[in-house]
Amino acid sequence: MKAGIHPAYEEITVTCACGHKFQTRSAHKGDMRVEICSNCHPFFTGKQKLIDTEGRVDRFQKKYQKVKDAAEAKKVADDIKKKEKAMAPVIRA
């Protein structure tokens, strides 16, 4: 590595708008302020909401509900056939 061409990699403090502070290392000069962090982001906190714009989620669910219903009906029919087969008397010659 050549000397003098790489920026200084120093420890900084990152402060979020929610008040959470943590230490990290960066080539950024001085402390950083961020709007959102892993402590307050909805994805990481589990409070994520699914925003249904223009009914896309509803259309998707309606579209694939038929497939889901057909798969469930087939499974029920297969279970009934298995039970009937198990209950059928064994005929020996």
Side-chain angles (χ1 to χ4, degrees), residues 15 18 26 30 33 50 63 68 71 78-79 84-85 89-90:
T15 306
C18 70
S26 175
R33 294 189 57 79
L50 183 63
K63 182 178 181 180
K68 190 177 180 182
D78 289 345
D79 289 344
E84 288 175 355
K85 197 174 190 179
V90 178

Side-chain angles (χ1 to χ4, degrees), residues 7-87:
Y9 192 65
E10 299 173 358
E11 196 166 296
I12 63 166
T13 301
V14 179
T15 306
C16 179
C18 70
H20 184 244
K21 293 182 181 184
F22 58 94
Q23 297 287 329
T24 189
R25 294 179 53 91
S26 175
H28 187 270
K29 299 205 186 317
D31 293 341
M32 293 177 95
R33 294 189 57 79
V34 294
E35 294 177 13
I36 196 158
C37 66
S38 62
N39 197 39
C40 61
H41 193 281
F43 180 78
F44 297 108
T45 60
K47 297 178 183 175
Q48 184 174 11
K49 295 180 182 176
L50 183 63
I51 299 171
D52 184 13
T53 57
E54 301 175 17
R56 292 179 183 174
V57 173
D58 290 335
R59 280 190 287 144
F60 178 84
Q61 289 176 343
K62 281 182 187 178
K63 182 178 181 180
Y64 288 101
Q65 185 65 37
K66 293 176 186 176
V67 175
K68 190 177 180 182
D69 291 342
E72 288 177 12
K74 185 175 189 270
K75 183 180 178 185
V76 169
D78 289 345
D79 289 344
I80 291 171
K81 285 181 184 178
K82 284 180 184 177
K83 287 179 183 177
E84 288 175 355
K85 197 174 190 179
M87 299 299 281

